[in-house]
Amino acid sequence: MPIRITGLNSGLDTEAIISALVSSYNYKTNKYKKAQTKLSWKQDAWKTLNTKIYSLYSSVGNLKLSSAYNLKSTTVSDTTKATVTASNSAPSGTQSLNIISVAQAGYLTGGQLDSSVSTSTTLAELGYTGGDGKINLTKGDGTTTSIEVTQGTTVGSFIASLKDAGVSANFDATNHRIFVSSKETGKDNDFTLTGGNADGISALTKLGLNVKSDATDATYTSYTQYYDADGNKLNQNITDAIAAYKAAQEDYKTKTAQNANLTASYGYASAYSAMMDALKSSGLSDADQKKLQTLLGMTASQRVDSLMDANGNVYTKSDTDSLGNTIYSYKDENGDTSYIRRMVTYEDGSNVYTKNEDGTYTDGDGHVWKATGEKDADGNATYSYTADDGTVKTATIKENTSYYEVTAEARGTGYYKYTDADGTTYTQNDNSTLAGSDGNTYKLSDGNLVQIDSDGNEVTGGKKVAVSDCTQKEIEKNVYHQSAVATGVGRSADALTALKEANKDTLTDDFISSLTSNIEKVNAFENAEDTLDSSDSASRASIAAAVKNAYAANGSAGVTTLTNTYASQITTNKTAMEADQEVLDKHAVLSKLVAMDETSAEYATAFADFVSQVQSAHEIQNGTNVTYNSDAKKIDGTDSEITLNGIKYTSSMNTYSINGLSITALQATGVGDTNAISITTSTDTQGVYDKIKDFLTQYNALINEMTSLYNADSAKGYEPLTDEEKDALSDTEVEKWEQKIKDSLLRRDESLEKIMSTMTNSMSKGYEVNGKTYYLSNFGIKTLGYFNAPENQEYAYHIDGDSDDTATSGNDDKLMAMINSDPDTVVSFMQQLTSGLYTAIGDKMKSSTLSSSYKVYNDKEMASEYSDYTDLIKKWEEKLQDKEDYYYNKFSAMETALSKLNSQTSSLSNLFGN
């Protein structure tokens, strides 16, 4: 704002005079600013309240499901033997449980070493005189880690090697023993420490870790099974075993994939039959059936973003032409691609508009047209802008879409893609850099591709590749040539709408929902990744073809006959898989060799090493000079085993999840009915009660707040303060003033009244259960009444006998009594009540021209009003400024005239005076 110095000649307080002259303009400006501030506060108040309403909506959405009330409690006859919890799906009743054994982790207590031993003690100091010893740590799943030791190996470094191999290990300096244990319980997590050669077994003995156990013997046997005194035969035994392992591995993988497909085929076949039956019953032509199946197999967004032609072919977005038009493409079964260009214009019959990202439109004169929230007589949205003279202009702007067939011509762009010997690609950008597929950025420099940083500088020690060592190909981009108008083409979403509208008597919502579900299942099966070759009779492609052929030949009955043959195939495969697993378990020690490339030098070394281990294991098992540490002890890792209702279950852990029960085994009970403990599961009546109480607590808190807001004291005469008005008050006075307004913002609000009425009406409805109509009051849940309830709490519900509610705690607890005696009636009523409330609130949250989805207030209308106020404030501020400038110019001219007059008068006075 310019600095003005006025009244120098006239002596008038020009600023005060002009301020009075433009006060009406200033009043208008402040009026709109206050209204906008008040609207902003109201928007905030509604946002806060709407969040709470949506929270209640979400809660009742869960409570309308039976699973919300299917709460269970469980007791165990002996909690020292097992603990049990029950989920909602657990059956009520008493079950019998035996803990046969608990899972155990593998645990090795080493023999006692000399008191002078520490972690820095070497094997030589322990008396080891061997050379390069080899100690094998073998896991229960057959994986083996070889640890090499020498005379210089320390106790500490050996323990570190054990830890690296996947077990827990520690040297106890107080007891002078090494302790080793598996990290988890179970047979497959167990371990053994064995000698990989004679020196290895000697080293184990010196470390106090050479123990004899079932698991240790089994580990040696897993190697000696290949032994033969004839070295050639030994090698052949191993080679044959590797071949058997690979064959079993491959067969197991194939049978697993086959059974997965065969098992999934039941659902697929059922869905396919139901889909085809529904399409046939629809009365649609074959062509329209194909279209409907295609359209319902797409997601809503896919339908919106794609086109469908008259033949039911779907064109998807593939490119954008030079003018920004979207190009769609479709590839037929022969691999030929067709293209369609979509061109969109926006017109009102006489003017053409440009659509902006925020949903507004700009005309040729630069005017921005905003949505009014209203529609014309034909239901089309209207838009408006305010002209300079204050006139509001309104127009109906329509989107016009045209489709054209186009052909594509690939043209070079002048940019290139380079590929080096490692397969890394370098793609030229239009800023003289290249994007590497390795995530780095490069530039061309002296015939090389040189790595650069974000500032374009060469990276020190960065990657550099000679262009001469790369293959290069020019990057091409399609140029599209328009040929003819594409007829019979439209959005896939519109195609579906047209089909449903033309056949609305048949294609009902329930019909479409059921058909969509089956189509999704069919597509999920057919499009899922399959590891089997399509020629395999159990591949998804083969199964799908067989099901379709069976349906074509004999309908749903033919499909059922086909799928009935799959059970025997699954059983046969399972038997073969069990045999395969036996082979894999028997030769588990070969797993590392199996995974290696037989042609590599590493394989030859590993094979020779394995032969040596076989020979060493034979010598150890059959030798007489092996010394075991008699004061060492190995507890083998074992699985747990339980029986529930006579059925055996095993696990590597002590926890089980069976039919809704979570069981933790603590201690063995012994076998048989006499040693069994009982598990009793029943409905958690207190849990059901708490669910209902929690719901009512949330509802009451919300309805009480809404009632308080609706009945708030009037703030008539209070308006938001201007900066000048705030300066005249203290901060506390300003805060109280504004809070008075904020508290009254939703007083007698129409939207608030509607949602309150919706909620209270839903809660007061009756619902039928087994032929009898029930209300909340039948369960001892009711309001206190208008005259008895505290202020603004007349719509809150209270539970008779609720110890936390002073108003009703003395009454009989009718709700808990009903839950105990007839829980099904209580749950059925609550499901219906919350479902009704959910639907009622949901209807209020539907999108409209005035409100967005999941909003119970007119947020769109408020946003539009806020924008309008912004425009009005700007307009009146400009008017105020213009008027001030006008008056200042007038007074400035007067001051200038007075200055000249004073100057002339002074001159005359001087003249006469002289």
Side-chain angles (χ1 to χ4, degrees):
M1 181 180 290
I3 298 175
R4 299 183 173 103
I5 301 176
T6 58
L8 293 177
N9 294 292
S10 64
L12 298 174
D13 186 352
T14 306
E15 187 170 346
I17 295 172
I18 293 176
S19 178
L21 289 171
V22 300
S23 60
S24 61
Y25 290 90
N26 197 38
Y27 171 78
K28 282 279 190 181
T29 303
N30 286 331
K31 175 184 175 182
Y32 292 129
K33 284 183 177 179
K34 291 182 177 185
Q36 187 181 49
T37 299
K38 199 170 183 179
L39 176 60
S40 175
W41 290 347
K42 189 172 185 178
Q43 286 176 307
D44 292 339
W46 262 120
K47 286 177 184 177
T48 300
L49 184 60
N50 194 87
T51 299
K52 296 177 182 178
I53 295 172
Y54 183 78
S55 177
L56 177 68
Y57 174 73
S58 299
S59 296
V60 297
N62 294 324
L63 291 173
K64 67 189 182 74
L65 305 175
S66 60
S67 58
Y69 307 92
N70 193 19
L71 306 176
K72 298 296 176 67
S73 62
T74 299
T75 58
V76 183
S77 61
D78 188 345
T79 55
T80 65
K81 299 294 191 295
T83 60
V84 183
T85 58
S87 69
N88 294 355
S89 61
S92 297
T94 300
Q95 302 183 63
S96 175
L97 173 68
N98 289 89
I99 309 296
I100 308 304
S101 62
V102 293
Q104 173 69 51
Y107 193 92
L108 171 57
T109 301
Q112 189 169 37
L113 304 177
D114 187 86
S115 60
S116 63
V117 175
S118 67
T119 53
S120 61
T121 301
T122 65
L123 281 178
E125 291 174 299
L126 291 175
Y128 175 66
T129 58
D132 294 334
K134 191 171 291 185
I135 296 174
N136 292 333
L137 188 147
T138 304
K139 293 284 196 67
D141 60 4
T143 57
T144 299
T145 301
S146 184
I147 301 172
E148 295 185 357
V149 295
T150 65
Q151 292 183 18
T153 300
T154 65
V155 171
S157 63
F158 179 71
I159 287 175
S161 296
L162 289 177
K163 291 180 178 179
D164 291 341
V167 295
S168 298
N170 178 56
F171 174 70
D172 186 334
T174 302
N175 294 291
H176 314 297
R177 295 176 186 267
I178 296 175
F179 294 89
V180 187
S181 62
S182 55
K183 291 185 175 180
E184 296 178 15
T185 59
K187 183 179 179 181
D188 284 347
N189 298 313
D190 192 21
F191 69 93
T192 59
L193 284 174
T194 57
N197 55 21
D199 284 339
I201 198 71
S202 175
L204 270 179
T205 301
K206 297 303 181 183
L207 288 163
L209 299 174
N210 190 18
V211 296
K212 192 171 181 63
S213 71
D214 292 341
T216 303
D217 290 341
T219 299
Y220 283 124
T221 301
S222 67
Y223 288 94
T224 59
Q225 65 177 314
Y226 308 111
Y227 179 76
D228 194 292
D230 185 330
N232 291 330
K233 289 184 178 180
L234 190 157
N235 288 353
Q236 189 60 48
N237 289 343
I238 297 172
T239 301
D240 292 344
I242 289 174
Y245 188 104
K246 288 183 175 179
Q249 189 179 52
E250 185 61 31
D251 188 64
Y252 191 95
K253 178 181 177 183
T254 299
K255 295 294 192 296
T256 300
Q258 289 177 340
N259 277 6
N261 288 349
L262 290 168
T263 301
S265 71
Y266 289 103
Y268 167 74
S270 175
Y272 182 83
S273 294
M275 176 189 76
M276 294 303 296
D277 289 345
L279 289 171
K280 284 186 176 182
S281 70
S282 67
L284 300 177
S285 65
D286 290 345
D288 283 347
Q289 287 183 36
K290 175 190 172 185
K291 288 182 181 179
L292 184 60
Q293 182 181 349
T294 300
L295 290 165
L296 294 182
M298 303 163 66
T299 65
S301 60
Q302 287 173 336
R303 288 193 291 267
V304 169
D305 292 335
S306 65
L307 306 177
M308 176 173 277
D309 65 15
N311 297 319
N313 300 317
V314 176
Y315 290 71
T316 56
K317 289 181 179 180
S318 60
D319 200 0
T320 303
D321 65 15
S322 58
L323 298 177
N325 299 306
T326 303
I327 302 296
Y328 296 79
S329 64
Y330 162 72
K331 183 177 288 187
D332 63 23
E333 57 187 11
N334 297 319
D336 297 326
T337 304
S338 303
Y339 299 93
I340 290 177
R341 171 185 281 147
R342 177 175 181 262
M343 299 182 68
V344 180
T345 57
Y346 305 93
E347 305 171 9
D348 64 2
S350 56
N351 299 311
V352 178
Y353 300 81
T354 300
K355 188 174 184 178
N356 304 313
E357 291 184 358
D358 60 358
T360 61
Y361 293 86
T362 303
D363 61 22
D365 295 325
H367 302 131
V368 177
W369 297 68
K370 299 179 181 178
T372 63
E374 304 294 332
K375 293 185 177 181
D376 63 13
D378 296 326
N380 299 307
T382 60
Y383 296 81
S384 67
Y385 90 93
T386 304
D388 294 338
D389 61 359
T391 305
V392 178
K393 307 290 185 181
T394 305
T396 300
I397 303 174
K398 299 180 181 179
E399 177 182 303
N400 296 315
T401 304
S402 303
Y403 301 100
Y404 298 91
E405 296 175 358
V406 293
T407 57
E409 175 193 356
R411 291 184 182 176
T413 59
Y415 297 101
Y416 290 84
K417 177 185 286 187
Y418 301 87
T419 305
D420 64 19
D422 296 328
T424 305
T425 60
Y426 311 85
T427 306
Q428 276 189 311
N429 300 316
D430 56 8
N431 63 353
S432 301
T433 64
L434 298 95
S437 59
D438 56 3
N440 296 317
T441 304
Y442 297 83
K443 69 177 181 180
L444 281 168
S445 177
D446 298 329
N448 294 307
L449 299 170
V450 181
Q451 184 181 345
I452 58 175
D453 59 24
S454 58
D455 296 324
N457 301 315
E458 185 174 341
V459 175
T460 304
K463 188 175 181 180
K464 181 183 291 187
V465 180
V467 172
S468 59
D469 293 336
C470 300
T471 59
Q472 67 181 65
K473 183 179 180 181
E474 186 174 8
I475 300 170
E476 295 181 334
K477 182 173 178 61
N478 281 341
V479 176
Y480 300 95
H481 305 286
Q482 194 160 300
S483 55
V485 174
T487 58
V489 174
R491 289 194 319 165
S492 298
D494 297 333
L496 178 59
T497 301
L499 266 177
K500 290 167 68 175
E501 183 61 28
N503 302 275
K504 56 187 176 183
D505 293 337
T506 304
L507 305 184
T508 62
D509 289 344
D510 288 342
F511 180 92
I512 291 295
S513 176
S514 176
L515 180 57
T516 300
S517 176
N518 287 317
I519 290 174
E520 288 174 348
K521 293 174 184 176
V522 168
N523 290 345
F525 180 88
E526 294 181 357
N527 297 329
E529 185 178 353
D530 195 355
T531 58
L532 298 175
D533 188 86
S534 59
S535 61
D536 191 308
S537 62
S539 68
R540 288 179 179 255
S542 296
I543 291 172
V547 168
K548 291 175 182 178
N549 290 335
Y551 186 90
N554 199 23
S556 298
V559 173
T560 301
T561 301
L562 171 67
T563 54
N564 285 342
T565 66
Y566 290 160
S568 61
Q569 294 182 52
I570 292 172
T571 301
T572 300
N573 281 348
K574 284 184 176 180
T575 302
M577 290 165 64
E578 289 172 0
D580 290 334
Q581 189 61 55
E582 289 178 2
V583 174
L584 296 174
D585 291 342
K586 180 181 179 181
H587 302 296
V589 290
L590 292 170
S591 58
K592 283 189 176 180
L593 276 173
V594 170
M596 298 176 71
D597 178 6
E598 293 184 13
T599 63
S600 66
E602 290 81 4
Y603 177 82
T605 301
F607 190 95
D609 184 62
F610 188 83
V611 170
S612 177
Q613 290 186 56
V614 171
Q615 293 169 332
S616 295
H618 175 75
E619 293 173 6
I620 292 168
Q621 270 198 327
N622 295 279
T624 58
N625 58 346
V626 176
T627 302
Y628 291 100
N629 300 106
S630 59
D631 61 340
K633 178 71 173 179
K634 168 68 166 51
I635 298 175
D636 293 335
T638 58
D639 293 338
S640 64
E641 181 181 331
I642 68 170
T643 61
L644 182 65
N645 302 323
I647 304 300
K648 184 175 76 172
Y649 301 89
T650 60
S651 173
S652 63
M653 300 181 294
N654 287 312
T655 56
Y656 293 83
S657 180
I658 305 172
N659 194 26
L661 295 179
S662 295
I663 302 170
T664 300
L666 301 177
Q667 186 179 341
T669 62
V671 298
D673 293 342
T674 57
N675 293 314
I677 59 177
S678 60
I679 301 172
T680 304
T681 305
S682 59
T683 299
D684 184 0
T685 54
Q686 185 62 47
V688 174
Y689 181 94
D690 290 341
K691 280 273 186 181
I692 297 171
K693 181 178 177 179
D694 289 345
F695 157 63
L696 292 174
T697 299
Q698 184 181 13
Y699 174 86
N700 289 345
L702 178 59
I703 198 67
N704 288 346
E705 180 180 356
M706 294 165 75
T707 306
S708 297
L709 292 171
Y710 186 78
N711 293 331
D713 293 337
S714 172
K716 186 176 181 180
Y718 286 77
E719 293 294 335
L721 302 169
T722 63
D723 291 339
E724 292 80 4
E725 290 169 336
K726 288 180 181 180
D727 291 340
L729 301 173
S730 68
D731 291 343
T732 301
E733 289 172 327
V734 170
E735 183 178 350
K736 288 182 178 180
W737 182 281
E738 292 184 345
Q739 193 60 48
K740 174 71 174 177
I741 300 170
K742 291 177 180 179
D743 289 343
S744 69
L745 288 171
L746 299 185
R747 170 183 164 83
R748 302 295 186 262
D749 186 275
E750 183 180 357
S751 295
L752 180 57
E753 182 181 23
K754 287 180 179 179
I755 187 62
M756 287 175 61
S757 177
T758 294
M759 291 169 59
T760 54
N761 287 341
S762 294
M763 293 291 285
S764 63
K765 284 184 178 179
Y767 294 95
E768 187 175 299
V769 180
N770 296 326
K772 181 180 177 180
T773 301
Y774 289 86
Y775 298 86
L776 279 171
S777 58
N778 293 115
F779 304 96
I781 303 172
K782 50 187 179 291
T783 64
L784 296 179
Y786 185 83
F787 295 104
N788 296 323
E791 185 180 7
N792 294 322
Q793 295 184 24
E794 58 267 26
Y795 298 118
Y797 283 89
H798 299 256
I799 304 174
D800 284 344
D802 180 4
S803 59
D804 296 326
D805 191 335
T806 56
T808 58
S809 59
N811 300 337
D812 292 337
D813 196 337
K814 196 171 184 180
L815 175 60
M816 181 59 83
M818 286 285 288
I819 294 173
N820 286 323
S821 63
D822 191 3
D824 290 343
T825 295
V826 177
V827 170
S828 178
F829 173 81
M830 290 305 301
Q831 280 187 258
Q832 294 183 71
L833 175 75
T834 52
S835 181
L837 181 59
Y838 180 83
T839 301
I841 296 177
D843 288 341
K844 288 295 180 184
M845 285 186 164
K846 288 181 178 178
S847 176
S848 70
T849 56
L850 300 178
S851 62
S852 305
S853 296
Y854 300 110
K855 299 290 190 297
V856 297
Y857 66 103
N858 297 339
D859 62 313
K860 289 182 181 178
E861 182 182 42
M862 288 184 181
S864 179
E865 287 179 11
Y866 191 92
S867 179
D868 290 342
Y869 278 131
T870 300
D871 293 340
L872 283 169
I873 291 169
K874 181 180 179 182
K875 183 179 73 174
W876 281 98
E877 283 179 337
E878 290 173 350
K879 285 186 176 183
L880 174 62
Q881 186 65 50
D882 291 342
K883 211 61 175 176
E884 285 182 340
D885 291 344
Y886 170 80
Y887 284 123
Y888 273 114
N889 289 336
K890 289 291 187 182
F891 277 97
S892 178
M894 181 189 75
E895 294 290 340
T896 300
L898 287 173
S899 176
K900 291 180 179 179
L901 179 61
N902 288 337
S903 177
Q904 292 172 353
T905 303
S906 177
S907 297
L908 289 172
S909 297
N910 290 334
L911 180 62
F912 290 128
N914 290 333

